[in-house]
């Protein structure tokens, strides 16, 4: 099956300020986040991407902008299902303030039971994001073959949801997963799905195929059920 590279958007002004941005307009990358986005084409150099999918929110569009400039022929698709959670009345409130809300304890311990006031249920977010990831992966496999690599740029909780699904974890355990801004997480769906990398902020050279034969051998090794193919 193809390899999915999940990229969290770069650091934003809301991240820096400790604000729960949600879907609020005007949330952009801060200076460091802009540098992270600028470094993305170099980190992905040599990886033959079949396509890219992204949340429609501005911070994800900004994160992919340098990559799109470096690869003008890359097919890029906005996917509404991988947008940020609708936090309703919690949108644009500080995390420090929200820590005092009784619901926050449930967010931490039992997210499957959480419905944000005036917003979305966390289980609904989980369902739509996981469905989008799996459906796009199947599309990439059908159109580009099982060795293809594709990219999804989205938000932290969405990446946590996809990783939890791949690992067979209940939604109530996904708060134990923390992907940092601009980090890359790699998943290959199969029987079972494989988490190849998580929250990586460094080199991605292992996904650059030297030859078709080497790429095929690497894929077979990662499918090994015991011992990781070593």
């Amino acid at each position: 099956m193809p390899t999915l590279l999940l990229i969290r958007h770069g650091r934003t002004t809301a991240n820096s300020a400790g604000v729960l941005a949600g879907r609020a307009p005007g949330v952009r990358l801060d200076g460091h986040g802009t540098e992270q986005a600028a470094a993305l084409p170099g980190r992905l150099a040599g990886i033959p991407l079949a396509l890219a999918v992204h949340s429609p929110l501005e911070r994800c569009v900004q994160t992919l902008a340098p990559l799109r400039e470096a690869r003008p022929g890359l097919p890029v698709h906005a996917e509404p299902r991988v947008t940020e959670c609708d936090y309703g009345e919690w949108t644009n409130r500080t995390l420090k303030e929200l820590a005092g809300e009784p619901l926050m304890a449930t967010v931490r311990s039992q997210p499957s039971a959480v419905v944000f006031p005036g917003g979305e249920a966390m289980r609904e977010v989980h369902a739509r994001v996981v469905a989008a990831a799996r459906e796009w992966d199947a599309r990439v496999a059908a159109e580009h073959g099982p060795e293809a690599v594709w990219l999804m740029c989205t938000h932290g909780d969405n990446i946590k949801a996809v990783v939890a699904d791949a690992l067979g974890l209940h939604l109530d355990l996904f708060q134990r997963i923390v992907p940092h801004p601009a980090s890359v997480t790699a998943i290959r769906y199969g029987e079972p799905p494989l988490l190849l990398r998580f929250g990586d902020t460094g080199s991605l050279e292992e996904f650059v195929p030297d030859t078709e034969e080497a790429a095929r051998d690497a894929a077979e090794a990662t499918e090994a059920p015991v011992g990781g193919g070593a």
Side-chain angles (χ1 to χ4, degrees), residues 18 23 31 33 40 71 95 149 203 225:
R23 299 180 184 177
L40 189 58
R71 301 196 190 195
L95 297 174
V149 181
S203 170

Side-chain angles (χ1 to χ4, degrees), residues 24-153:
V27 178
R28 299 177 57 82
L29 301 183
D30 66 9
H32 183 61
T34 300
E35 292 176 357
Q36 290 173 322
L40 189 58
R43 294 176 65 201
L44 295 171
I47 300 175
L49 297 172
L51 57 81
V53 174
H54 65 87
S55 160
L57 294 183
E58 186 174 8
R59 50 196 181 269
C60 290
V61 174
Q62 278 188 289
T63 298
L64 287 190
L67 179 65
R68 296 186 71 172
E69 183 177 355
R71 301 196 190 195
L74 178 67
V76 179
H77 307 269
E79 170 54 83
R81 290 179 295 174
V82 301
T83 195
E84 180 67 282
C85 176
D86 181 355
Y87 292 112
E89 296 170 14
W90 281 26
T91 301
N92 270 340
R93 293 177 65 186
T94 67
L95 297 174
K96 183 176 181 179
E97 177 188 5
L98 290 171
E101 292 282 354
L103 182 61
M104 184 58 83
T106 309
V107 171
R108 295 193 182 106
S109 64
Q110 193 183 4
S112 64
V114 171
V115 180
F116 291 101
E120 240 181 329
M122 293 189 78
R123 61 182 178 274
E124 294 172 348
V125 178
H126 180 275
R128 63 172 166 80
V129 173
V130 168
R134 286 184 172 269
E135 288 171 20
W136 275 101
D137 193 76
R139 173 175 169 178
V140 170
E143 296 179 359
H144 301 277
E147 303 306 321
V149 181
W150 66 286
L151 179 154
M152 177 186 289
C153 183

